[in-house]
Amino acid sequence: MHAAYIEQLGPAEVIRFGELPVPQPGPSDVLVAVDVVSVNHVDTFVRSGAWSTPLDFPFVIGRDLVGTVLSAGPAVAHRFAPGDRVWCNSLGHDGRQGAAAEQAVVPADRLYPLPAGVEPEDAVALAHPAVTAYLALFDQGEITAGDTVFVAGAAGNVGSALVTMAAHAGARVIATSSPRDFAYVRGLGAAEVIDYNDPDVPGRIRELSPHGVDIHVDTSGRNDLETAVDLLASRGRIVLLAGLRTRPVLPVGPLYLKDCSVRGFAISHATAGRLAAAAAHVNTLTAAGLLRPRGTQVLPLSAAAEAHRLLDEGKVTGKLVLRAGPVSGG
């Protein structure tokens, strides 16, 4: 089979495209014919070594896929049958080979049905950001109806999923974006949208939520904790999900005097059970047409190195998707 893989850690140029043996599933695994694979920042971290995780060379890159079941191991054959349309968002980490190949082995507890009518390119583009948003809001943020949620960078991949999910959960969303994206972000469910170039964004948030915000999420990874803590309501939560190399100052006194908390997480550490709960929620929203990617750029699997280079250089808007096989509607 053809695959995009690496034989050493390094820059995008270390990615090779060529033939590798077809992987062999174990008793609890499923062999999937891959249609499309997404390209995420975390994929570049694994490839470069910035994110340390066990891997064997040659190592197939990539996390997320949409495809068709070819066969299922005897322990899970009652759950998956040949021809089933499926998706996954947690390959390429913790010893698991990646998704960027014509065929991939997926542990059955990390494989989910593709909702009918959802296009493969849309589903794979949502896999990483939407599950990240779910974990941020429901696991770490403990969102409840009536909360006020602040989302910085609401027009991006994760930000738009955060706004959609928070609004659907009954929260009031205050967001920042570029003025050109105001209508889009409001359409996702944000009650208020602030220009992120406004010199007094914190002041605008205080005007809109005098008692503070319950959940604060900054998708840009700037992680200005001094400002974030000041904006929190009593028992508010700051959720950190980006900014691998940031080292912000934490104002400890104001944080604990308001009974607040800072919670960080990485999707790679989520248990299979939590990922399955997230996937079920994502499936519900995508099937209802409430959750969709804003834009995708589709490249052939052979362009994986170029895709990683574009992401490294900050030249990607929307979501990059690699096509490994023929794609048809769900």
Side-chain angles (χ1 to χ4, degrees):
M1 68 172 187
H2 289 95
Y5 62 93
I6 59 174
E7 296 180 305
Q8 64 185 73
L9 300 176
E13 289 72 26
V14 303
I15 297 175
R16 300 286 178 260
F17 179 74
E19 291 194 3
L20 291 178
V22 173
Q24 299 301 308
S28 299
D29 296 330
V30 179
L31 182 63
V32 176
V34 179
D35 287 342
V36 284
V37 181
S38 67
V39 182
N40 306 299
H41 284 287
V42 69
D43 302 333
T44 71
F45 299 156
V46 172
R47 181 216 71 223
S48 68
W51 180 282
S52 180
T53 186
L55 48 84
D56 293 324
F57 297 116
F59 174 72
V60 177
I61 61 173
R63 288 291 179 94
D64 316 328
L65 65 78
V66 170
T68 303
V69 171
L70 292 174
S71 63
V76 293
H78 62 291
R79 293 176 50 197
F80 295 98
D84 287 351
R85 302 287 287 151
V86 290
W87 66 278
C88 170
N89 74 325
S90 58
L91 295 183
H93 176 260
D94 198 26
R96 296 183 292 277
Q97 286 285 336
E102 291 176 325
Q103 297 182 40
V105 166
V106 184
D109 60 356
R110 295 174 181 271
L111 194 63
Y112 322 114
L114 180 70
V118 176
E119 293 295 328
E121 294 90 343
D122 290 346
V124 82
L126 287 168
H128 193 80
V131 171
T132 297
Y134 176 92
L135 296 173
L137 291 174
F138 293 89
D139 280 20
Q140 304 299 324
E142 299 179 357
I143 190 171
T144 60
D147 279 349
T148 296
V149 178
F150 172 66
V151 178
N157 294 316
V158 175
S160 59
L162 284 165
V163 173
T164 300
M165 289 186 182
H168 187 259
R172 176 183 179 230
V173 180
I174 301 172
T176 61
S177 76
S178 167
R180 67 176 180 271
D181 293 318
F182 279 8
Y184 170 68
V185 175
R186 288 194 182 100
L188 297 174
E192 308 286 350
V193 189
I194 303 167
D195 182 351
Y196 60 49
N197 291 312
D198 188 316
D200 190 22
V201 169
R204 293 281 292 116
I205 297 171
R206 291 186 192 97
E207 291 174 4
L208 295 168
S209 187
H211 299 293
V213 301
D214 300 292
I215 303 173
H216 183 292
V217 190
D218 179 1
T219 66
S220 75
R222 293 187 182 91
N223 298 327
D224 178 359
L225 296 185
E226 290 186 280
T227 299
V229 169
D230 185 60
L231 292 172
L232 289 179
S234 175
R235 303 189 68 80
R237 290 82 70 194
I238 298 170
V239 180
L240 304 179
L241 49 74
L244 188 65
R245 296 177 178 84
T246 59
R247 299 295 184 271
V249 173
L250 175 66
V252 173
L255 182 78
Y256 75 72
L257 288 174
K258 292 198 292 185
D259 292 338
C260 295
S261 60
V262 179
R263 307 177 184 185
F265 79 99
I267 187 174
S268 297
H269 295 155
T271 64
R274 295 314 303 151
L275 290 175
H281 192 74
V282 170
N283 275 354
T284 296
L285 296 184
T286 53
L290 298 174
L291 193 62
R292 59 175 64 89
R294 191 175 188 187
T296 58
Q297 180 182 356
V298 182
L299 300 172
L301 185 60
S302 58
E306 173 67 5
H308 272 233
R309 184 185 66 78
L310 291 171
L311 205 58
D312 283 341
E313 295 176 356
K315 296 180 178 178
V316 178
T317 57
K319 194 73 176 177
L320 277 176
V321 171
L322 302 175
R323 179 171 293 160
V327 179
S328 59

